[in-house]
Amino acid sequence: MEQLLHYIWKHRIFPLKQLVTTAGISVEVIDPGLNNSNAGPDFFNAKIRINGTLWVGNVEIHSKASDWYRHGHDQNKVYDSVILHVAREVDCEVKRTSGELIPQMQLSCPEHIKMNYQELHKADMLPPCYKIIPDLSSFTIHSWLSVLQSERFEHKSEAIHARLKHCNGSWEDAFFITLARNFGFGLNGDAFEKWAGLIPLRSVDKHRDSLFKVEAIFFGQAGLLEEPLDDPYYKMLKKEFAYLKHLFQLPVMDPSLWHFLRLRPGNFPHVRIAQLAYLYSTKWGLFSRVMGASSIKQIKEVLSTSVSDYWEEHYQFYSPSPRRSKHLSESTYNLLIINTVVPFLYAYGRHKIDDDLCQRAGNLLEEIKAEDNYVTRMWNGVGLNVNNAADSQALLELKKEYCDKKKCLYCRIGFEYLKQQK
């Protein structure tokens, strides 16, 4: 109920009559203020005219007025700035730390909003707001998708900056770790990020001209050279890694972190690590080259990779297979651009205060075909068209940050659903 009251206050869904305090004094809400998600009053810098006098300050909202004391606000000077206390049930007076009374206003939740909110929370299918989506204007949908796309950029930028901290500010190293994570394609994403974070890339750089040595370090640190297998190439890698491990004091990852169940052979960690080893060995300055690429075609040329001869005929060390090229598919390139290149363009643009880089990130998403997954198919199924990767990324953000968390009160589609009167 308190969340609903916040929603009603924020959107000024007030009863069609003069608002008054519990003492019968007139209230006019000129500006409800800024919603505060941190500690302190619920709304900052509200502008409210009480009995003809304009007040500028903060507003606190509770289900019951007595919650003011239950939460200890009467002992907290931060709440002395509250100019109006709003509650669904006013069961007592409220006071500042000085003992001064604070004006109160009773605010109830309209019945239709309460019922619509309950419907959204009880819906047994996603998205719960599916009924109204076909009736929404294109402006409402596209403006909300633009906001969601920006939010997704920000969330991915936060992850990139966390990796930058791990890499002591090296954009090149953070880029490789992010690229490695996205070579895991969901199921092995965490394992690939952990593995890439263990690799001392400056030590690897000393042997970067030898694909064999890069493979030895990459497979060894992944914990995939620990078994006693009777395979000549495996034995050579294992011997080389034993030397390099001692030389550079390399840690070894727990191999049980890798997942193989329900993976197609082309997505096995062995193949992906072989592709990353080839890429790292043959393409120097990946981050710089990607940032300098002016088209999707050029980006794909930078990210193009293959595998050593051994991996042309294997998916795992102990499993020979018919000879087959292990190049990346078109859809794989698109996913790597969407999840690695685009977020880095945006994050680096913000870092350099370069709007052109940020704009290029958005433009790339609009040029790439929409992702095809169960989330995009869900939205398509209820009448919301997914035209490109910008749309699909926005809708992934919508499901993850709003639908899954039941944050309908903060969603623009939820807003349209809640205000409908049946």
Side-chain angles (χ1 to χ4, degrees):
M1 179 55 66
E2 193 166 304
Q3 282 187 329
L4 276 176
L5 290 175
H6 279 232
Y7 175 84
I8 292 163
W9 178 263
K10 177 180 178 180
H11 295 287
R12 297 203 269 196
I13 308 174
F14 302 137
L16 298 176
K17 60 181 180 180
Q18 173 65 50
L19 299 178
V20 295
T21 67
T22 52
I25 300 171
S26 67
V27 174
E28 181 185 354
V29 181
I30 297 169
D31 185 339
L34 297 173
N35 189 214
N36 173 36
S37 57
N38 300 310
D42 295 320
F43 288 85
F44 285 151
N45 297 323
K47 295 181 178 65
I48 301 171
R49 186 171 282 111
I50 301 176
N51 200 25
T53 300
L54 179 64
W55 293 82
V56 178
N58 303 328
V59 173
E60 180 70 6
I61 298 175
H62 288 118
S63 289
K64 290 185 176 183
S66 54
D67 290 339
W68 178 270
Y69 297 99
R70 192 165 62 85
H71 297 162
H73 297 337
D74 60 316
Q75 303 296 320
N76 189 339
K77 289 185 178 295
V78 170
Y79 291 86
D80 284 349
S81 59
V82 170
I83 58 173
L84 181 67
H85 184 236
V86 178
R88 178 179 62 89
E89 180 183 339
V90 179
D91 55 352
C92 66
E93 294 179 330
V94 297
K95 300 178 180 179
R96 298 187 174 92
T97 57
S98 63
E100 181 185 7
L101 287 175
I102 298 174
Q104 293 195 88
M105 185 177 82
Q106 186 171 5
L107 183 64
S108 58
C109 176
E111 195 61 31
H112 71 279
I113 290 181
K114 192 186 304 182
M115 289 178 63
N116 292 338
Y117 185 65
Q118 289 171 349
E119 281 182 8
L120 288 174
H121 274 253
K122 289 178 180 178
D124 57 2
M125 71 168 288
L126 285 174
C129 53
Y130 68 93
K131 294 178 183 177
I132 69 163
I133 287 176
D135 299 324
L136 296 177
S137 70
S138 58
F139 175 79
T140 298
I141 291 173
H142 290 300
S143 61
W144 182 219
L145 292 185
S146 295
V147 171
L148 290 166
Q149 182 184 320
S150 297
E151 289 183 7
R152 192 158 183 84
F153 275 146
E154 292 297 331
H155 287 145
K156 289 193 173 186
S157 292
E158 290 172 7
I160 287 171
H161 284 290
R163 294 182 194 116
L164 272 171
K165 186 176 181 181
H166 171 82
C167 299
N168 297 316
S170 171
W171 285 88
E172 286 283 352
D173 292 358
F175 182 83
F176 180 77
I177 291 174
T178 306
L179 184 66
R181 176 180 181 82
N182 291 315
F183 261 72
F185 296 98
L187 186 64
N188 278 305
D190 290 342
F192 265 100
E193 180 166 354
K194 181 177 179 62
W195 162 75
L198 291 174
I199 300 172
L201 294 173
R202 299 295 74 76
S203 298
V204 178
D205 288 347
K206 297 174 183 177
H207 303 283
R208 205 166 182 173
D209 57 345
S210 168
L211 176 57
F212 174 75
K213 290 183 178 180
V214 174
E215 279 197 10
I217 295 175
F218 278 20
F219 281 107
Q221 288 205 267
L224 298 176
L225 297 178
E226 300 296 302
E227 297 181 65
L229 299 179
D230 188 20
D231 179 299
Y233 188 68
Y234 178 89
K235 289 180 178 179
M236 290 169 60
L237 286 174
K238 187 170 184 176
K239 181 179 179 181
E240 183 67 23
F241 179 66
Y243 166 72
L244 294 170
K245 177 184 177 183
H246 175 74
L247 180 64
F248 297 121
Q249 296 297 301
L250 303 178
V252 176
M253 182 174 149
D254 180 358
S256 68
L257 295 176
W258 298 108
H259 300 284
F260 294 87
L261 188 64
R262 291 190 295 277
L263 278 181
R264 291 180 297 174
N267 283 330
F268 280 2
H270 297 75
V271 175
R272 295 307 185 193
I273 289 174
Q275 290 170 331
L276 283 165
Y278 189 97
L279 184 63
Y280 197 79
S281 178
T282 58
K283 304 282 180 68
W284 291 70
L286 278 173
F287 169 72
S288 301
R289 294 171 70 173
V290 165
M291 292 298 103
S294 60
S295 66
I296 290 177
K297 181 181 179 182
Q298 288 185 3
I299 293 172
K300 289 179 179 178
E301 288 172 355
V302 174
L303 297 178
S304 64
T305 187
S306 187
V307 292
S308 59
D309 289 342
Y310 178 85
W311 293 106
E312 294 280 356
E313 298 179 345
H314 292 79
Y315 290 102
Q316 293 175 295
F317 284 113
Y318 49 88
S319 181
S321 63
R323 190 173 187 85
R324 185 176 178 182
S325 169
K326 302 293 196 307
H327 297 292
L328 301 179
S329 67
E330 191 70 16
S331 61
T332 298
Y333 278 122
N334 286 341
L335 287 173
L336 292 176
I337 293 172
I338 290 169
N339 294 308
T340 306
V341 176
V342 166
F344 263 86
L345 275 169
Y346 181 83
Y348 195 60
R350 290 290 298 272
H351 174 71
K352 289 290 187 180
I353 316 177
D354 187 337
D355 290 339
D356 288 342
L357 285 175
C358 296
Q359 185 61 48
R360 186 140 58 96
N363 292 343
L364 281 176
L365 285 182
E366 292 179 358
E367 292 179 41
I368 298 173
K369 184 180 177 181
E371 298 147 275
D372 181 18
N373 51 49
Y374 83 96
V375 175
T376 56
R377 290 192 292 271
M378 173 189 78
W379 289 109
N380 260 322
V382 297
L384 202 158
N385 295 327
V386 188
N387 299 309
N388 50 43
D391 288 347
S392 59
Q393 283 289 290
L395 292 172
L396 287 169
E397 181 76 3
L398 177 56
K399 181 181 181 299
K400 179 182 178 183
E401 297 297 329
Y402 293 85
C403 300
D404 291 350
K405 296 179 180 180
K406 295 287 187 181
K407 292 175 68 175
C408 303
L409 294 177
Y410 305 93
C411 170
R412 292 191 188 175
I413 299 176
F415 170 74
E416 296 295 333
Y417 193 99
L418 286 170
K419 75 178 187 179
Q420 64 179 338
Q421 299 200 35
K422 302 167 186 177

